Amino acid sequence: ENCNAQNEMAQEDTTAPATDASSTSKKANTQAPATGLRICNGSSDGQAVSFGYQDADGQWVSEGWWDLNQTQCATVLSGDLKKRYYYYRAVADSGTVTEDTYMFCTSREEYTIVGDTDCEKRGYKREGFVQIDTGATAKSFVFNMTDDK
């Protein structure tokens, strides 16, 4: 996957029923906030998306899953953005995984996990996420996943 970012609000938030066995439940989000981080699926395949970030207490947190069909968006974090960098992992309906070397804990079920260490000891998987750079001063951001051309 090649991913492009936009610093503007775009597309309607929707969620779809889970279609991938590795992600059996999804978070619903139907209203676009004035601030926050949205992830949009501009690819040609459905995507199950997981999201990672550092909270106000300095703890690393990962959450998932959001099912995004083509052209769908989800608000993964509401409110003014407080950090420059956030992280995501996407699993396409075709099985293609978008990942990198930023490691977070994940689960096959819907989850919110605090902490990014001892994942396996706590019953989770340790998987790679890709960094999203929202810019130094953004209060809101839209990240658009696209296909390689």
Side-chain angles (χ1 to χ4, degrees):
E1 292 291 312
N2 175 27
C3 298
N4 296 321
Q6 303 170 336
N7 198 4
E8 60 186 60
M9 300 305 278
Q11 301 179 339
E12 179 181 344
D13 267 354
T14 57
T15 55
T19 57
D20 181 64
S22 68
S23 53
T24 57
S25 66
K26 305 294 178 211
K27 299 180 178 214
N29 193 334
T30 59
Q31 295 187 4
T35 59
L37 181 66
R38 291 164 43 94
I39 296 179
C40 295
N41 183 7
S43 76
S44 61
D45 206 355
Q47 302 279 340
V49 177
S50 188
F51 174 66
Y53 60 96
Q54 191 173 31
D55 70 11
D57 297 325
Q59 293 286 324
W60 291 102
V61 179
S62 53
E63 298 184 31
W65 295 89
W66 287 266
D67 258 349
L68 298 178
N69 288 329
Q70 296 168 337
T71 74
Q72 290 184 313
C73 296
T75 301
V76 296
L77 188 65
S78 297
D80 287 350
L81 298 181
K82 306 288 188 205
K83 305 284 184 183
R84 177 174 182 163
Y85 299 106
Y86 297 89
Y87 306 86
Y88 82 100
R89 175 183 181 82
V91 180
D93 290 346
S94 65
T96 302
V97 178
T98 302
E99 61 184 345
D100 201 356
T101 58
Y102 299 93
M103 305 305 285
F104 286 87
C105 300
T106 65
S107 174
R108 290 182 63 160
E109 304 296 325
E110 182 175 324
Y111 69 92
T112 298
I113 302 170
V114 177
D116 63 341
T117 58
D118 297 323
C119 299
E120 292 85 1
K121 286 182 186 177
R122 298 188 292 150
Y124 304 119
K125 293 173 106 178
R126 186 170 186 256
E127 298 183 297
F129 283 56
V130 177
Q131 185 180 73
I132 299 171
D133 184 348
T134 64
T137 61
K139 298 290 184 204
S140 65
F141 198 80
V142 176
F143 184 79
N144 190 37
M145 298 182 296
T146 61
D147 290 329
D148 289 332
K149 295 295 179 195

